[in-house]
Amino acid sequence: MMASDDSVLEDLPPSAKLVYKVLEYDGPLTQKRIVEETMLSARTVRYALERLEDRGAVDEDIYFADARQSLYQLTRQNNDDACAEADAEAA
């Protein structure tokens, strides 16, 4: 785990850390897809997303395919850090 991940994820419940990692590898995703990917309850995913949003780690956007849903992704800085880590591991 990188230093930026450590600071964002510090003191968060395991469910929030799992949601963060799923978004890091598979994002952006709707809440429904996050529930499917993590196998957590919808309520637990909602709570995890709220905690991550409070930390500024996740952005919520409109999901244009279905405006009733939101699309969640890592914030730009966290996403850039994750891409840099993936590039370093691939090298």
Side-chain angles (χ1 to χ4, degrees), residues 1 9-22 48 52:
M1 200 180 297
L9 301 179
E10 190 175 336
D11 299 329
L12 285 176
S15 58
K17 293 175 182 178
L18 177 59
V19 168
Y20 182 93
K21 286 299 179 185
V22 166
L52 290 167

Side-chain angles (χ1 to χ4, degrees), residues 35-64:
V35 167
E36 292 170 0
E37 291 291 323
T38 61
M39 299 193 314
L40 297 170
S41 72
R43 181 178 182 166
T44 300
V45 170
R46 266 195 314 275
Y47 177 74
L49 287 167
E50 286 175 16
R51 297 292 303 269
L52 290 167
E53 283 182 275
D54 289 345
R55 297 269 173 112
V58 171
D59 287 329
E60 178 181 359
D61 293 315
I62 295 170
Y63 182 49
F64 290 106

Side-chain angles (χ1 to χ4, degrees), residues 1-10 20-21 77-78 81 85:
M1 200 180 297
M2 290 180 36
S4 63
D5 283 353
D6 288 339
S7 61
V8 169
L9 301 179
E10 190 175 336
Y20 182 93
K21 286 299 179 185
Q77 178 188 353
N78 289 319
D81 290 345
E85 179 181 343

Side-chain angles (χ1 to χ4, degrees), residues 83-91:
C83 289
E85 179 181 343
D87 289 346
E89 288 175 1

